Amino acid sequence: MAEPLHFTILMAYSDDYTLGRLCSRVNAAYARRHGYPFLRAQYHRSIVAGRAYLWSKVLLMWRVAQAHSHCRVITFIDSDATFQTDEPLRPLLQRAG
């Protein structure tokens, strides 16, 4: 029998990004329906001083992995995106290969 996957959904956006807050509500509801932890992080340029802003995603995922070692899969969803399905993540990933 396959070991169950333990998902955490992570989303990050800056304080002044209204769309991020709206998408976060939709994604948090998806996570609740499926019993996944949902984490919101605020982007701050100081997170990755001296590097391109996008590297903050890598650092945020690393921090989540350290704090939530039980999670086998961290799913990062962009701040302007929402889950467009009510299907759990596992079957979606299995179909994707």
Side-chain angles (χ1 to χ4, degrees):
M1 177 182 267
E3 181 178 344
L5 295 177
H6 301 281
F7 295 97
T8 294
I9 298 174
L10 172 62
M11 189 172 172
Y13 50 91
S14 60
D15 292 334
D16 60 348
Y17 193 51
T18 302
L19 183 57
R21 287 192 304 274
L22 296 173
C23 290
S24 177
R25 291 181 192 149
V26 172
N27 294 328
Y30 172 87
R32 272 192 309 276
R33 280 192 301 275
H34 297 288
Y36 306 140
F38 180 78
L39 304 174
R40 294 176 193 92
Q42 294 292 320
Y43 274 135
H44 298 283
R45 294 206 181 272
S46 63
I47 290 175
V48 288
R51 295 186 187 262
Y53 196 53
L54 295 174
W55 281 102
S56 60
K57 291 180 184 181
V58 175
L59 181 58
L60 289 170
M61 286 190 287
W62 182 81
R63 288 179 178 171
V64 168
Q66 296 299 310
H68 301 269
S69 60
H70 65 282
C71 294
R72 305 268 304 169
V73 178
I74 299 169
T75 305
F76 188 95
I77 186 163
D78 282 334
S79 59
D80 61 349
T82 60
F83 286 95
Q84 297 295 305
T85 181
D86 205 31
E87 190 172 5
L89 288 173
R90 185 181 184 108
L92 292 172
L93 292 174
Q94 287 174 328
R95 279 197 308 276

